Amino acid sequence: MHFIVKLFPEITIKSAPVRKRFIKQLRDNLRTQLSQVGEGIAVSRDWEKIEVSSPSDDPALSARIADVLARTPGIANFARVVVHPFVDMHDAFEKTLAIWGEQLAGKTFCVRVKRTGSHDFSSIDVEKYVGGGLNQHSEAAGVRLKNPDLTVKLEIRDDTLYVVEEQVKGLGGFPLGSQEGVLSLISGGFDSTVASYLMIKRGVRTHYCFFNLGGRAHELGVKEVAFYLWNKFGSSHPVKFVTVPFEGVIEEILKNVDNSYMGVVLKRMMLRAASKVAAEMEIQALVTGEAVAQVSSQTLPNLAAIDAVTDTLVLRPLVVMDKGDIIDIARAIGTEDFAAAMPEYCGVISVKPTTRAKMDRVLEAEAKFDFARLDAAIQDRKTQYIQDVVADLGEEISVQQVADPANAVVIDIRHPNEEELRPLRLTNVEVLRIPFYTLSSQFASLDAGKQYLLYCDKGVMSQLHAEHLTAEGATNVGVYRPEAKVGCSL
């Protein structure tokens, strides 16, 4: 199988050295990600495109390659193509008919040809010849040059013919790693997850900083969504997840800060902490999901008061977006269900929050704050690579991992999109499909007399949820890991 990957247009207008660097970065990213999909997948580049090829024609492998290409930043579109030596226009027609003949039945169509190299014919000549042949030798409804039902695309490069089977829109943006890194303040809701995604799409290596306000379930949910974003859109580069315990800071604010200023002061404390963490990680910018006037702390005067606490650059990719548009993006990238099910653990909710913070009032409120509590929170933070989030849940909960699911029910907790792409099929084993974001609510209704094994592709989310259910008192839950060792204890 063969794929032709077209670059995001903004890459093509860069200077020659920058364009070359971006294309190389995209090629390297694809090599890293596709190495986990299958063996023998080759990725090559030239000035205009990237080509991906595999010696196997397995449809399942083709679907997995297409899935990687569809969610890799830097790609405008990609096409699955059949490659042939170019003989002449009649041979090109026959090769095209073999691929498109049945699909044209009852449909209007046109043929579009892109030609590169020295030939004694033009692209239009090929379009007319192949289009006329398809019209005569198929059951097509006719040729229509404007708004046809189907567009048949061919490319001729020197002595090679490419017949496009399918073209798919890519993610756009820049290749991940082509820009410097940022630290995203993530809470797991719609805004911070979409903001993080937009940074990844722009080619920015996005690390995560979570302020734990006192809820273990919230921490679990945020780690899940951060891992999901990295695994789906940014796994070509390792990133870190930082947890800052903010319970003491919350207690100090509730005890000493005037009610109307609690929200602004909390955000200032978060920026102070995040700035120090970013400096130690040699990161120059922070990212938040704030949008103008969405909540009281996000009015322009309040944002100005919040930003005044740090010299670190604060990026707000959602700053003028409507909430509905943010939710639409969350739905498109698969994080809507995460956000909708995310527990809320915010202990600082002002009854009558100010929308026009005065700096003298802010400084007066903070003068009563014991900054040793903030320093302690920063000092006690935990930092880990995102793929290792399982290791930081604490409490040393023992969760059994088994390779043989006999006498148990396997629960596939993957996102429906992932389950559809790579369905789990087991012989003589009952498989339930319960997405992770509904597992907590549905598990209690399952038959308590049965043993349940949770499954996901890499074992991260299944381990997280098994530990959470065990902490909640379940004694009949484990993890299904093919070829895993039994009795793994964290």
Side-chain angles (χ1 to χ4, degrees):
M1 73 188 72
H2 200 92
F3 293 85
I4 296 178
V5 177
K6 295 300 179 67
L7 308 173
F8 181 57
E10 287 186 39
I11 298 175
T12 64
I13 63 175
K14 299 292 184 184
S15 65
V18 174
R19 178 174 177 171
K20 182 177 180 181
R21 175 169 62 86
F22 277 31
I23 296 173
K24 180 179 182 298
Q25 182 71 70
L26 179 55
R27 180 204 64 185
D28 293 346
N29 292 352
L30 288 174
R31 284 180 174 174
T32 297
Q33 293 174 281
L34 291 173
S35 67
Q36 304 173 32
V37 171
E39 297 181 356
I41 300 174
V43 183
S44 60
R45 67 181 173 96
D46 60 29
W47 186 245
E48 293 185 348
K49 67 186 182 308
I50 288 176
E51 297 193 38
V52 177
S53 59
S54 170
S56 170
D57 289 325
D58 179 14
L61 178 60
S62 177
R64 294 190 67 182
I65 293 174
D67 176 59
V68 170
L69 297 178
R71 52 187 173 82
T72 297
I75 295 176
N77 60 72
F78 63 92
R80 188 176 68 247
V81 301
V82 179
V83 184
H84 299 285
F86 178 74
V87 179
D88 54 33
M89 286 192 287
H90 186 74
D91 183 72
F93 150 68
E94 291 182 331
K95 296 293 192 301
T96 306
L97 178 65
I99 294 172
W100 280 91
E102 293 184 2
Q103 298 180 58
L104 294 176
K107 304 288 181 64
T108 60
F109 75 98
C110 71
V111 176
R112 294 288 180 246
V113 176
K114 182 177 180 180
R115 184 185 60 83
T116 303
S118 179
H119 304 95
D120 59 359
F121 54 83
S122 68
S123 297
I124 294 178
D125 292 334
V126 181
E127 290 175 356
K128 290 180 178 179
Y129 190 95
V130 174
L134 293 176
N135 195 37
Q136 293 180 42
H137 297 279
S138 74
E139 297 181 5
V143 175
R144 181 185 294 169
L145 298 181
K146 291 185 178 180
N147 301 318
D149 296 324
L150 296 173
T151 299
V152 178
K153 295 184 178 182
L154 310 178
E155 290 194 25
I156 300 173
R157 297 195 203 122
D158 298 318
D159 57 356
T160 304
L161 169 68
Y162 299 85
V163 182
V164 177
E165 290 185 289
E166 180 186 22
Q167 183 167 300
V168 180
K169 183 179 180 181
L171 202 61
F174 291 148
L176 191 63
S178 62
Q179 311 300 314
E180 287 73 18
V182 297
L183 184 64
S184 179
L185 280 61
I186 188 167
S187 66
F190 291 103
D191 302 335
S192 61
T193 53
V194 170
S196 299
Y197 159 76
L198 291 176
M199 298 306 298
I200 296 171
K201 179 182 175 183
R202 199 61 179 173
V204 179
R205 187 175 177 182
T206 303
H207 304 268
Y208 301 96
C209 184
F210 168 61
F211 293 95
N212 194 332
L213 306 183
R216 187 174 183 277
H218 191 188
E219 180 180 2
L220 169 67
V222 174
K223 285 183 173 180
E224 277 189 329
V225 74
F227 178 84
Y228 175 87
L229 287 171
W230 171 79
N231 188 50
K232 190 171 182 67
F233 302 108
S235 60
S236 59
H237 288 70
V239 301
K240 292 181 178 179
F241 187 97
V242 182
T243 302
V244 184
F246 242 46
E247 297 94 330
V249 174
I250 296 297
E251 180 183 351
E252 193 69 20
I253 290 175
L254 290 171
K255 186 166 56 177
N256 294 317
V257 175
D258 180 75
N259 186 284
S260 62
Y261 275 78
M262 289 194 303
V264 171
V265 170
L266 174 61
K267 291 294 184 67
R268 281 168 60 90
M269 295 300 170
M270 288 180 172
L271 281 195
R272 281 188 174 100
S275 297
K276 290 186 178 181
V277 172
E280 293 187 19
M281 295 175 65
E282 298 184 347
I283 292 174
Q284 299 180 349
L286 307 176
V287 175
T288 78
E290 293 161 318
V292 170
Q294 188 177 119
V295 295
S296 60
S297 65
Q298 296 173 16
T299 62
L300 290 179
N302 286 358
L303 289 174
I306 292 167
D307 277 5
V309 79
T310 181
D311 292 328
T312 306
L313 174 64
V314 180
L315 302 175
R316 295 182 171 91
L318 312 184
V319 68
V320 293
M321 291 184 64
D322 296 333
K323 190 69 172 184
D325 295 333
I326 295 170
I327 294 175
D328 287 343
I329 295 176
R331 183 177 302 117
I333 65 176
T335 61
E336 180 187 23
D337 294 317
F338 284 96
M342 189 66 62
E344 291 291 344
Y345 286 92
C346 185
V348 178
I349 303 176
S350 301
V351 177
K352 294 182 178 180
T354 181
T355 58
R356 295 180 176 274
K358 306 295 184 183
M359 189 53 67
D360 57 342
R361 293 282 305 279
V362 172
L363 296 177
E364 179 184 348
E366 291 185 348
K368 304 173 185 177
F369 185 91
D370 182 3
F371 279 87
R373 305 296 293 272
L374 179 64
D375 294 337
I378 298 171
Q379 182 66 31
D380 293 341
R381 73 184 183 274
K382 295 181 180 179
T383 302
Q384 62 190 148
Y385 284 103
I386 190 66
Q387 61 267 37
D388 298 328
V389 292
V390 171
D392 193 35
L393 290 180
E395 299 186 14
E396 298 185 350
I397 299 172
S398 178
V399 175
Q400 186 182 40
Q401 295 190 15
V402 301
D404 182 3
N407 303 317
V409 177
V410 173
I411 303 178
D412 188 340
I413 68 167
R414 293 175 296 171
H415 192 284
N417 292 345
E418 296 179 66
E419 192 277 327
E420 181 179 357
L421 185 66
R422 294 181 292 277
L424 176 65
R425 295 187 176 93
L426 300 174
T427 304
N428 299 323
V429 175
E430 182 181 359
V431 177
L432 302 179
R433 292 167 178 82
I434 306 177
F436 53 86
Y437 47 82
T438 63
L439 182 63
S440 293
S441 60
Q442 292 193 40
F443 190 81
S445 63
L446 300 178
D447 185 348
K450 293 183 178 181
Q451 180 71 18
Y452 297 95
L453 301 175
L454 309 187
Y455 171 79
C456 66
D457 282 335
K458 294 188 176 182
V460 175
M461 289 190 181
S462 55
Q463 186 81 25
L464 288 170
H465 276 283
E467 288 198 349
H468 179 63
L469 291 171
T470 301
E472 294 293 315
T475 59
N476 60 336
V477 62
V479 173
Y480 170 50
R481 293 294 305 277
E483 300 181 1
K485 294 181 180 180
V486 175
C488 176
S489 176
L490 292 185

